Amino acid sequence: MLLTSILPCDGKSLLSAAGFCCLLICPPGLAESAQDEQQQRPQQETVPQGREALSFYPITEQAEIEKNRLSDQAIAYPANPVSRLSPLLEFGDDFLGRGPIKPGIKTPFEQMLQPTFLLYGQFRSALQSYDAEGKDIVQWSTRLDLHGDVKLSGTERIVFSLRPLDNDKGEDTGFTFSPDGGEDNWHDQTNGKLTQLFFEGEIGEIFPRLDPSDSKTWDIGFSVGRQELKVQDGILLNDTFDALGITRNSLIARGLPNLRLTALYGWHDIDNPFADVTSPSRLFGLLSQADTAWDNSLDLDMVYVDNDNSANAWYLGLGSTQRIGMINSTFRINTEIPLDEDNSTLSKGTLVTAELSGGFAHSDDLWYFNSFLSFDDFSSAARSRDGGVPLANIGMLFSPVGMGQYGVPLGDSIEDTYGAVAGYQHFFGGIGSQFIVELAARSSMKSQQKRDAVGVGLRYQKSLSRQTLIRFDTFFAVKEKQQSAKGVRLEWLLKF
C-alpha cells in the first residue's frame, strides 16, 4: 500500500503519525506493543492560560530575579518626542505626559484612585451674514465651550461643561448690524449656567472585592446627571438632559462577538422644539450596539417618551454600518409612533437615510453621497434647540453652525420629502488645509406642499497653528415659492 511505503512500520514512528491507526498498516502483534508503550507514557502537561500563566515556571533564584527585573532607569526614546499640547488648566499627572506616575490613594473598597483635573474647550468668533426666510442679518457672534474633567481613576470621573457666552435659546454674546441703516444692537448673554454635570464609572472597578479575579460579570458601567446624548447619529435623540444610564458591555451571543446594552432613564429638561409639548416628560430607553459575524455594526434602539399631557410616543431606530468593497456605508431607519394619533401635539413618521463615502487612489481626497426619504413628519424623541433638523449630519447644507442667527440653508420641515447630498473634500498638501464643495437637493412627495429646493455650499478651512484655524463658509439655495437664500461667514476657532 502507499501508506505502508511512506510510514516505516515500527511502533514509535507509528505513534507519532498524525492520527493514523497502526492496525491498518502493521501486524497485530506490533500494534499491541505500540498501545502498551502509549499507556506507559506520562500524560502531557497542560499549558496554563490567562491569569494562571502568570505563575507558570516561577523564578526562585535571586540572581535570575535580578537579571529579569525591569530597570528603574528611564531610557530615551530613539525618535524626537513631539511636544505636548497642554490643556488650559491641569492638576495631577500631565495629560498625555511622560515620566513617573504619582502614587495613588486606596479607598476603603480597595480601589486605587489617581485624581487629576483638566480644563479644556474651544472659543469661536465669527462674522456672518444670512439672508433667507424673510430676514437679512449681519452679525458678529461668539461662543465659548468649557469642559472640566475630574478624573478619579481610569474608569471613574466627574464631567462638567459651560457655555458662558450664549444661552439655550440660541442667543449669544455679540453685535448685530442692521443692514437697513437702523439701530445697531449689542447683545450680552454671558452666564454661569452649567450645561453638563454628570458622574460616570464602573461598578466592578469601584468595588474590586466583588470580583478579585476579574472573571465575573461586574463590568457594569453607569452615568448619572445632566449629560449630552446622541442616538442613531443624532437622528433619534440629540439633547442634553438629566438622565441615568446603565451599560453592560462585551456581551457575547451566537453570531455577535461583541454586544453592548444600555438602559436609559431621563427625567428633566427633555426638549423637542419640533413638537408642541410644553409639559414635563420622562424618557425610557433600551439602546443596543453589536458587532456581527457579517462584518458590520448594528444599532437597535427603542425609546419611549411619557408626557403629563398624554403626548406619549415610541421612537425606534435601526442602523447598520459596514464596508461594501471600498465604500463606507451606513443605512438607518427611524420611526416615531404616537400612542394617541388624535393628539395634535405630536407627529408621526419614518425617516430612512443612506450614507456612502470613499476615497481616491493615491490621494487623501474624499467623496460622499448621502440620501434620505421621509414618510409623514418624523421628529426626534428629544432634540436641543441648536441641534437643527434630524438630518443635521447628512451634509453641510442641512447642518447648523451653532452660532447666532445664521440659519440652516435647507433646514425646512422634512414632512413627506426626499433628497440627496453629494460632496467632495480636497486636501492641500496634508490635512492642515482643505476645501469642501457640496451640492444638495430636496423635493416633496406631495405636489401641493411646494418644498422643492436646491443648494450649493462651499467651505475652506486652514490651520494657522496646532490650536487655531480659520474657516470660510458660503452657500446659495433656491427654494420653490420662496426667495433665494444665501449666506457667508468667516470664523476663527481656538482650541485649548
Side-chain angles (χ1 to χ4, degrees), residues 67-299:
K67 178 181 178 181
N68 291 276
R69 189 175 66 86
L70 295 177
S71 173
D72 294 329
Q73 296 181 351
I75 301 176
Y77 191 69
N80 294 326
V82 178
S83 59
R84 184 180 73 96
L85 282 176
S86 302
L88 182 64
L89 186 65
E90 64 179 334
F91 298 104
D93 292 321
D94 292 342
F95 179 67
L96 298 179
R98 295 179 297 161
I101 300 175
K102 296 181 176 63
I105 304 170
K106 182 176 287 189
T107 69
F109 308 108
E110 296 189 355
Q111 183 191 20
M112 188 64 69
L113 303 181
Q114 294 174 309
T116 61
F117 173 71
L118 303 176
L119 184 65
Y120 60 95
Q122 64 180 19
F123 172 73
R124 301 170 63 188
S125 176
L127 183 63
Q128 51 197 22
S129 172
Y130 181 77
D131 183 7
E133 302 161 3
K135 55 184 179 182
D136 185 4
I137 299 171
V138 179
Q139 63 178 177
W140 169 62
S141 297
T142 60
R143 173 170 170 172
L144 175 62
D145 294 79
L146 285 175
H147 307 284
D149 189 335
V150 183
K151 180 182 175 183
L152 303 176
S153 69
T155 53
E156 283 68 48
R157 64 174 184 160
I158 300 173
V159 178
F160 66 87
S161 300
L162 303 94
R163 285 171 53 173
L165 297 182
D166 66 327
N167 57 31
D168 55 5
K169 297 180 181 179
E171 303 168 337
D172 64 352
T173 300
F175 195 86
T176 300
F177 304 91
S178 175
D180 301 325
E183 201 173 306
D184 297 333
N185 183 20
W186 164 259
H187 35 97
D188 183 3
Q189 297 296 336
T190 55
N191 66 88
K193 181 180 177 181
L194 287 172
T195 57
Q196 289 193 99
L197 177 61
F198 66 91
F199 171 80
E200 67 177 7
E202 186 175 293
I203 295 177
E205 297 296 330
I206 298 176
F207 305 101
R209 292 180 180 177
L210 293 174
D211 187 12
S213 63
D214 198 21
S215 60
K216 299 180 182 178
T217 57
W218 285 105
D219 296 331
I220 301 174
F222 69 93
S223 63
V224 58
R226 178 154 298 187
Q227 51 197 302
E228 182 182 13
L229 297 170
K230 292 185 178 182
V231 179
Q232 292 289 328
D233 202 18
I235 298 176
L236 194 71
L237 178 65
N238 184 2
D239 197 11
T240 301
F241 55 92
D242 297 336
L244 167 66
I246 301 176
T247 298
R248 180 68 175 93
N249 205 351
S250 301
L251 295 170
I252 299 175
R254 186 175 181 86
L256 304 176
N258 183 41
L259 172 64
R260 182 182 67 193
L261 296 176
T262 299
L264 177 66
Y265 171 61
W267 65 86
H268 181 63
D269 205 24
I270 299 170
D271 191 18
N272 191 342
F274 297 97
D276 186 16
V277 177
T278 56
S279 57
S281 300
R282 291 156 298 280
L283 185 147
F284 306 86
L286 179 61
L287 317 177
S288 62
Q289 184 179 58
D291 298 324
T292 76
W294 301 280
D295 295 331
N296 70 333
S297 296
L298 285 177
D299 301 281

Side-chain angles (χ1 to χ4, degrees), residues 236-493:
L236 194 71
L237 178 65
N238 184 2
D239 197 11
T240 301
F241 55 92
D242 297 336
L244 167 66
I246 301 176
T247 298
R248 180 68 175 93
N249 205 351
S250 301
L251 295 170
I252 299 175
R254 186 175 181 86
L256 304 176
N258 183 41
L259 172 64
R260 182 182 67 193
L261 296 176
T262 299
L264 177 66
Y265 171 61
W267 65 86
H268 181 63
D269 205 24
I270 299 170
D271 191 18
N272 191 342
F274 297 97
D276 186 16
V277 177
T278 56
S279 57
S281 300
R282 291 156 298 280
L283 185 147
F284 306 86
L286 179 61
L287 317 177
S288 62
Q289 184 179 58
D291 298 324
T292 76
W294 301 280
D295 295 331
N296 70 333
S297 296
L298 285 177
D299 301 281
L300 176 60
D301 306 302
M302 298 178 289
V303 175
Y304 177 73
V305 177
D306 177 63
N307 183 266
D308 289 346
N309 286 344
S310 299
N312 308 328
W314 281 97
Y315 299 84
L316 309 177
L318 175 64
S320 176
T321 301
Q322 58 279 308
R323 293 269 292 182
I324 303 176
M326 301 298 292
I327 298 177
N328 309 308
S329 64
T330 299
F331 305 103
R332 300 187 188 276
I333 178 170
N334 292 269
T335 186
E336 176 188 10
I337 308 173
L339 294 188
D340 184 4
E341 295 188 3
D342 296 332
N343 194 324
S344 60
T345 59
L346 288 178
S347 60
K348 67 175 181 178
T350 300
L351 177 62
V352 181
T353 59
E355 303 175 40
L356 306 175
S357 64
F360 298 91
H362 312 293
S363 172
D364 293 326
D365 294 357
L366 301 172
W367 62 266
Y368 58 91
F369 181 82
N370 305 326
S371 58
F372 70 92
L373 179 61
S374 174
F375 301 96
D376 296 324
D377 191 11
F378 170 83
S379 64
S380 304
R383 194 162 200 89
S384 61
R385 295 185 179 275
D386 61 353
V389 297
L391 293 171
N393 290 332
I394 205 170
M396 294 188 304
L397 295 172
F398 290 90
S399 177
V401 297
M403 294 184 66
Q405 301 181 53
Y406 195 88
V408 182
L410 299 182
D412 303 300
S413 171
I414 62 173
E415 180 180 1
D416 290 314
T417 58
Y418 61 93
V421 176
Y424 173 72
Q425 183 179 24
H426 175 68
F427 295 90
F428 298 92
I431 62 174
S433 179
Q434 56 184 270
F435 173 76
I436 302 175
V437 56
E438 180 178 289
L439 178 66
R442 52 176 292 167
S443 182
S444 174
M445 290 187 285
K446 297 181 178 179
S447 58
Q448 65 272 21
Q449 290 183 341
K450 306 298 183 183
R451 288 178 179 167
D452 294 357
V454 61
V456 60
L458 304 175
R459 172 175 295 173
Y460 174 77
Q461 59 185 27
K462 178 179 177 58
S463 60
L464 303 179
S465 67
R466 296 177 66 188
Q467 294 178 271
T468 62
L469 65 84
I470 57 170
R471 190 176 97 181
F472 172 79
D473 291 281
T474 186
F475 79 90
F476 181 80
V478 178
K479 302 181 180 180
E480 187 176 10
K481 299 296 182 179
Q482 298 183 42
Q483 66 174 14
S484 60
K486 54 184 179 294
V488 60
R489 60 190 308 273
L490 180 65
E491 177 181 334
W492 177 73
L493 184 145

